[in-house]
Amino acid sequence: KIGKYEFQEFLGGGMSHVYRAWDPVMNRMVAVKILTAEATADPEAKARFLREAQTAGGLTHDNIIRVYEFGEEDGRPFMVMEFLRGEGLREAIQSGNVGDLPRKLEIALEAAKALEYIHEQSIVHRDIKPENLHLDTNGRIRLMDFGIAKRLELNLTRAGFTLGTPYYMAPEQVRGEEITCLADVYAFGILLFELLTGSKPITGASVEQLFYRILNEPLDLAPLREAGVPPRICE
């Protein structure tokens, strides 16, 4: 238990742990994300967690997860978010639960609306991938996990330390250059390819090989055409 929140189930996590919890005051299920003791001892990890809470807590959009509260318990920071039912976009793609082409485009459009909204707030997510998008029980897409997001005027990342998931990283991220909203647009394009074909457009046996291909090899759009995606969408 943390404050009024009664933990019911451990949902997973790495540097932070996520629990399904009950809020008896508001009479609703919530998700509580709490930084581990080890991560709390790391000033940079703690600052990143606080920045995530501040960033996500200030966002209000139908396609973005809501953060209700932020606090500390025994020195460990935690945030309280809405509890999303449904399934992650990664699971939906793997199980074939993303529907036909019009439905896939609806999902992509909702994700794009979420991105447009955060970019209007001068926020770059920097980790757009199926794992950070959730399809709720109404079929609505929700953008999550602002752990490495940053406002364009801030730079709390160590020089030379690249953040992001390799498959979806834009060339400028790979090179460690200044990141703008275009990095999210690039990642959205990779995600769209995967949503439409079920496979990643860039693969590699190692991170080094993957980064080489991102920087040097043009994307092969043949899998899109083979999947029956109309030429206008391929373009």
Side-chain angles (χ1 to χ4, degrees), residues 197-215:
T197 67
S199 61
K200 295 181 178 70
I202 305 172
T203 58
S206 66
V207 173
E208 290 78 12
Q209 188 180 59
L210 195 63
F211 282 175
Y212 177 85
R213 290 177 174 171
I214 289 172
L215 293 174

PDB file of all heavy atoms in Angstrom, residues 197-215:
ATOM      1  N   THR A 197       2.536  -4.294 -42.290  1.00  0.00           N
ATOM      2  CA  THR A 197       3.118  -5.526 -42.834  1.00  0.00           C
ATOM      3  C   THR A 197       3.304  -6.627 -41.796  1.00  0.00           C
ATOM      4  O   THR A 197       3.451  -7.804 -42.160  1.00  0.00           O
ATOM      5  CB  THR A 197       4.497  -5.255 -43.465  1.00  0.00           C
ATOM      6  OG1 THR A 197       5.415  -4.879 -42.424  1.00  0.00           O
ATOM      7  CG2 THR A 197       4.420  -4.147 -44.505  1.00  0.00           C
ATOM      8  N   GLY A 198       3.355  -6.253 -40.517  1.00  0.00           N
ATOM      9  CA  GLY A 198       3.621  -7.232 -39.467  1.00  0.00           C
ATOM     10  C   GLY A 198       5.089  -7.509 -39.252  1.00  0.00           C
ATOM     11  O   GLY A 198       5.465  -8.334 -38.411  1.00  0.00           O
ATOM     12  N   SER A 199       5.965  -6.820 -39.991  1.00  0.00           N
ATOM     13  CA  SER A 199       7.414  -7.019 -39.843  1.00  0.00           C
ATOM     14  C   SER A 199       8.137  -5.682 -39.818  1.00  0.00           C
ATOM     15  O   SER A 199       7.622  -4.672 -40.316  1.00  0.00           O
ATOM     16  CB  SER A 199       7.959  -7.880 -40.981  1.00  0.00           C
ATOM     17  OG  SER A 199       7.744  -7.233 -42.227  1.00  0.00           O
ATOM     18  N   LYS A 200       9.331  -5.666 -39.251  1.00  0.00           N
ATOM     19  CA  LYS A 200      10.129  -4.440 -39.181  1.00  0.00           C
ATOM     20  C   LYS A 200      10.822  -4.202 -40.524  1.00  0.00           C
ATOM     21  O   LYS A 200      11.284  -5.150 -41.167  1.00  0.00           O
ATOM     22  CB  LYS A 200      11.175  -4.550 -38.072  1.00  0.00           C
ATOM     23  CG  LYS A 200      10.596  -4.651 -36.662  1.00  0.00           C
ATOM     24  CD  LYS A 200      11.724  -4.720 -35.638  1.00  0.00           C
ATOM     25  CE  LYS A 200      11.171  -4.761 -34.226  1.00  0.00           C
ATOM     26  NZ  LYS A 200      10.504  -6.043 -33.921  1.00  0.00           N
ATOM     27  N   PRO A 201      10.960  -2.952 -40.953  1.00  0.00           N
ATOM     28  CA  PRO A 201      11.626  -2.663 -42.227  1.00  0.00           C
ATOM     29  C   PRO A 201      13.143  -2.759 -42.151  1.00  0.00           C
ATOM     30  O   PRO A 201      13.815  -2.881 -43.168  1.00  0.00           O
ATOM     31  CB  PRO A 201      11.184  -1.232 -42.534  1.00  0.00           C
ATOM     32  CG  PRO A 201      10.947  -0.628 -41.193  1.00  0.00           C
ATOM     33  CD  PRO A 201      10.399  -1.735 -40.336  1.00  0.00           C
ATOM     34  N   ILE A 202      13.691  -2.674 -40.931  1.00  0.00           N
ATOM     35  CA  ILE A 202      15.134  -2.740 -40.742  1.00  0.00           C
ATOM     36  C   ILE A 202      15.424  -3.787 -39.674  1.00  0.00           C
ATOM     37  O   ILE A 202      14.848  -3.738 -38.590  1.00  0.00           O
ATOM     38  CB  ILE A 202      15.726  -1.385 -40.302  1.00  0.00           C
ATOM     39  CG1 ILE A 202      15.356  -0.276 -41.291  1.00  0.00           C
ATOM     40  CG2 ILE A 202      17.244  -1.466 -40.162  1.00  0.00           C
ATOM     41  CD1 ILE A 202      15.745   1.101 -40.829  1.00  0.00           C
ATOM     42  N   THR A 203      16.301  -4.723 -39.981  1.00  0.00           N
ATOM     43  CA  THR A 203      16.705  -5.728 -39.000  1.00  0.00           C
ATOM     44  C   THR A 203      18.219  -5.849 -39.019  1.00  0.00           C
ATOM     45  O   THR A 203      18.887  -5.391 -39.953  1.00  0.00           O
ATOM     46  CB  THR A 203      16.081  -7.110 -39.298  1.00  0.00           C
ATOM     47  OG1 THR A 203      16.471  -7.521 -40.618  1.00  0.00           O
ATOM     48  CG2 THR A 203      14.561  -7.059 -39.215  1.00  0.00           C
ATOM     49  N   GLY A 204      18.755  -6.470 -37.979  1.00  0.00           N
ATOM     50  CA  GLY A 204      20.194  -6.668 -37.910  1.00  0.00           C
ATOM     51  C   GLY A 204      20.526  -7.683 -36.840  1.00  0.00           C
ATOM     52  O   GLY A 204      19.787  -7.836 -35.868  1.00  0.00           O
ATOM     53  N   ALA A 205      21.654  -8.378 -37.025  1.00  0.00           N
ATOM     54  CA  ALA A 205      22.077  -9.387 -36.054  1.00  0.00           C
ATOM     55  C   ALA A 205      22.693  -8.756 -34.820  1.00  0.00           C
ATOM     56  O   ALA A 205      22.838  -9.400 -33.785  1.00  0.00           O
ATOM     57  CB  ALA A 205      23.078 -10.344 -36.709  1.00  0.00           C
ATOM     58  N   SER A 206      23.045  -7.474 -34.928  1.00  0.00           N
ATOM     59  CA  SER A 206      23.635  -6.749 -33.803  1.00  0.00           C
ATOM     60  C   SER A 206      23.178  -5.304 -33.871  1.00  0.00           C
ATOM     61  O   SER A 206      22.688  -4.831 -34.909  1.00  0.00           O
ATOM     62  CB  SER A 206      25.161  -6.817 -33.853  1.00  0.00           C
ATOM     63  OG  SER A 206      25.638  -6.122 -34.998  1.00  0.00           O
ATOM     64  N   VAL A 207      23.347  -4.591 -32.763  1.00  0.00           N
ATOM     65  CA  VAL A 207      22.997  -3.171 -32.746  1.00  0.00           C
ATOM     66  C   VAL A 207      23.864  -2.414 -33.746  1.00  0.00           C
ATOM     67  O   VAL A 207      23.390  -1.508 -34.440  1.00  0.00           O
ATOM     68  CB  VAL A 207      23.167  -2.584 -31.321  1.00  0.00           C
ATOM     69  CG1 VAL A 207      22.974  -1.067 -31.343  1.00  0.00           C
ATOM     70  CG2 VAL A 207      22.166  -3.217 -30.364  1.00  0.00           C
ATOM     71  N   GLU A 208      25.136  -2.799 -33.842  1.00  0.00           N
ATOM     72  CA  GLU A 208      26.050  -2.129 -34.781  1.00  0.00           C
ATOM     73  C   GLU A 208      25.562  -2.285 -36.218  1.00  0.00           C
ATOM     74  O   GLU A 208      25.572  -1.321 -36.996  1.00  0.00           O
ATOM     75  CB  GLU A 208      27.464  -2.708 -34.638  1.00  0.00           C
ATOM     76  CG  GLU A 208      28.169  -2.342 -33.347  1.00  0.00           C
ATOM     77  CD  GLU A 208      27.695  -3.173 -32.160  1.00  0.00           C
ATOM     78  OE1 GLU A 208      26.986  -4.189 -32.384  1.00  0.00           O
ATOM     79  OE2 GLU A 208      28.009  -2.805 -31.021  1.00  0.00           O
ATOM     80  N   GLN A 209      25.132  -3.495 -36.581  1.00  0.00           N
ATOM     81  CA  GLN A 209      24.626  -3.739 -37.933  1.00  0.00           C
ATOM     82  C   GLN A 209      23.337  -2.964 -38.179  1.00  0.00           C
ATOM     83  O   GLN A 209      23.130  -2.395 -39.263  1.00  0.00           O
ATOM     84  CB  GLN A 209      24.385  -5.236 -38.130  1.00  0.00           C
ATOM     85  CG  GLN A 209      24.046  -5.617 -39.563  1.00  0.00           C
ATOM     86  CD  GLN A 209      23.810  -7.106 -39.711  1.00  0.00           C
ATOM     87  OE1 GLN A 209      22.924  -7.658 -39.069  1.00  0.00           O
ATOM     88  NE2 GLN A 209      24.602  -7.765 -40.550  1.00  0.00           N
ATOM     89  N   LEU A 210      22.494  -2.934 -37.171  1.00  0.00           N
ATOM     90  CA  LEU A 210      21.238  -2.199 -37.269  1.00  0.00           C
ATOM     91  C   LEU A 210      21.508  -0.709 -37.495  1.00  0.00           C
ATOM     92  O   LEU A 210      20.916  -0.082 -38.384  1.00  0.00           O
ATOM     93  CB  LEU A 210      20.442  -2.405 -35.980  1.00  0.00           C
ATOM     94  CG  LEU A 210      18.966  -2.043 -35.975  1.00  0.00           C
ATOM     95  CD1 LEU A 210      18.181  -2.891 -36.959  1.00  0.00           C
ATOM     96  CD2 LEU A 210      18.395  -2.228 -34.569  1.00  0.00           C
ATOM     97  N   PHE A 211      22.413  -0.147 -36.710  1.00  0.00           N
ATOM     98  CA  PHE A 211      22.740   1.273 -36.847  1.00  0.00           C
ATOM     99  C   PHE A 211      23.361   1.562 -38.218  1.00  0.00           C
ATOM    100  O   PHE A 211      23.081   2.597 -38.827  1.00  0.00           O
ATOM    101  CB  PHE A 211      23.706   1.702 -35.733  1.00  0.00           C
ATOM    102  CG  PHE A 211      23.030   1.911 -34.399  1.00  0.00           C
ATOM    103  CD1 PHE A 211      23.777   2.201 -33.260  1.00  0.00           C
ATOM    104  CD2 PHE A 211      21.653   1.825 -34.262  1.00  0.00           C
ATOM    105  CE1 PHE A 211      23.169   2.400 -32.036  1.00  0.00           C
ATOM    106  CE2 PHE A 211      21.027   2.019 -33.041  1.00  0.00           C
ATOM    107  CZ  PHE A 211      21.798   2.304 -31.915  1.00  0.00           C
ATOM    108  N   TYR A 212      24.196   0.647 -38.722  1.00  0.00           N
ATOM    109  CA  TYR A 212      24.794   0.847 -40.052  1.00  0.00           C
ATOM    110  C   TYR A 212      23.700   0.937 -41.105  1.00  0.00           C
ATOM    111  O   TYR A 212      23.740   1.812 -41.993  1.00  0.00           O
ATOM    112  CB  TYR A 212      25.763  -0.297 -40.380  1.00  0.00           C
ATOM    113  CG  TYR A 212      26.337  -0.164 -41.779  1.00  0.00           C
ATOM    114  CD1 TYR A 212      27.459   0.623 -42.020  1.00  0.00           C
ATOM    115  CD2 TYR A 212      25.719  -0.804 -42.865  1.00  0.00           C
ATOM    116  CE1 TYR A 212      27.963   0.765 -43.304  1.00  0.00           C
ATOM    117  CE2 TYR A 212      26.223  -0.666 -44.150  1.00  0.00           C
ATOM    118  CZ  TYR A 212      27.340   0.121 -44.367  1.00  0.00           C
ATOM    119  OH  TYR A 212      27.829   0.278 -45.646  1.00  0.00           O
ATOM    120  N   ARG A 213      22.719   0.041 -41.026  1.00  0.00           N
ATOM    121  CA  ARG A 213      21.639   0.039 -42.012  1.00  0.00           C
ATOM    122  C   ARG A 213      20.769   1.283 -41.907  1.00  0.00           C
ATOM    123  O   ARG A 213      20.326   1.835 -42.912  1.00  0.00           O
ATOM    124  CB  ARG A 213      20.802  -1.237 -41.848  1.00  0.00           C
ATOM    125  CG  ARG A 213      21.552  -2.478 -42.294  1.00  0.00           C
ATOM    126  CD  ARG A 213      20.768  -3.757 -42.074  1.00  0.00           C
ATOM    127  NE  ARG A 213      21.484  -4.890 -42.664  1.00  0.00           N
ATOM    128  CZ  ARG A 213      21.139  -6.160 -42.495  1.00  0.00           C
ATOM    129  NH1 ARG A 213      20.098  -6.474 -41.739  1.00  0.00           N
ATOM    130  NH2 ARG A 213      21.846  -7.114 -43.060  1.00  0.00           N
ATOM    131  N   ILE A 214      20.497   1.725 -40.674  1.00  0.00           N
ATOM    132  CA  ILE A 214      19.714   2.952 -40.494  1.00  0.00           C
ATOM    133  C   ILE A 214      20.417   4.131 -41.156  1.00  0.00           C
ATOM    134  O   ILE A 214      19.790   4.970 -41.806  1.00  0.00           O
ATOM    135  CB  ILE A 214      19.484   3.234 -38.996  1.00  0.00           C
ATOM    136  CG1 ILE A 214      18.504   2.210 -38.410  1.00  0.00           C
ATOM    137  CG2 ILE A 214      18.961   4.656 -38.775  1.00  0.00           C
ATOM    138  CD1 ILE A 214      18.361   2.287 -36.902  1.00  0.00           C
ATOM    139  N   LEU A 215      21.727   4.188 -41.008  1.00  0.00           N
ATOM    140  CA  LEU A 215      22.490   5.326 -41.513  1.00  0.00           C
ATOM    141  C   LEU A 215      22.793   5.249 -43.004  1.00  0.00           C
ATOM    142  O   LEU A 215      22.955   6.275 -43.651  1.00  0.00           O
ATOM    143  CB  LEU A 215      23.814   5.441 -40.747  1.00  0.00           C
ATOM    144  CG  LEU A 215      23.721   5.807 -39.267  1.00  0.00           C
ATOM    145  CD1 LEU A 215      25.096   5.734 -38.615  1.00  0.00           C
ATOM    146  CD2 LEU A 215      23.122   7.190 -39.083  1.00  0.00           C
TER     147      LEU A 215
END
